[in-house]
Amino acid sequence: MSIQLNHTIVSARDPQASAAFLADILGLAAPVPFGRFYGVTLDNGVTLDFLQDDDEISIQHYAFLVSEEAFDEIFGRIRARKLPYWADPRHQQADQINHHDGGRGLYWNDPSGHYLEIITRPYGSGS
């Protein structure tokens, strides 16, 4: 058996809203409730399980490798919602995308402040 990431827990102020936000932006199926969690399943079977957290949330980073076509669709949804986005994780290059490794990428935040990223090429894979 190969080793694969199966799921991870994502702390959220409102787990249902945060899970729905991510699923909607990425064009994925609606979140599935499981106990106290709201799970968003990615195309490779990994699940992001959103969980209520009333304490100070430690901001995390979640990067999604997407096709060029999916990038256009996701970017369109980000712009349609007038969400702030950046070409860099430090939020210095507002309203821009990056072209690392010959692909495209951008960052935006979820409702709990987590840094979300889409890229069309894995880091270190190209020019």
Side-chain angles (χ1 to χ4, degrees), residues 3-97:
I3 298 171
Q4 299 178 18
L5 180 64
N6 176 263
H7 68 277
T8 192
I9 296 172
V10 180
S11 295
R13 296 275 174 249
D14 181 338
Q16 186 174 14
S18 289
F21 171 85
L22 181 65
D24 183 53
I25 292 290
L26 295 182
L28 298 170
V32 175
F34 180 74
R36 302 179 335 172
F37 301 97
Y38 288 89
V40 176
T41 302
L42 306 178
D43 292 336
N44 62 348
V46 174
T47 302
L48 300 180
D49 294 327
F50 289 80
L51 177 67
Q52 176 79 33
D53 191 338
D54 295 323
D55 294 328
E56 185 174 339
I57 292 178
S58 177
I59 301 302
Q60 301 296 313
H61 172 76
Y62 300 95
F64 305 95
L65 180 62
V66 302
S67 68
E68 290 287 341
E69 180 181 320
F71 184 96
D72 290 335
E73 292 168 1
I74 294 165
F75 190 30
R77 288 189 282 273
I78 289 169
R79 286 185 295 186
R81 286 184 175 211
K82 297 182 174 30
L83 296 173
Y85 64 91
W86 300 266
D88 65 303
R90 293 189 175 158
H91 294 178
Q92 300 296 308
Q93 300 170 3
D95 303 322
Q96 298 178 51
I97 65 171

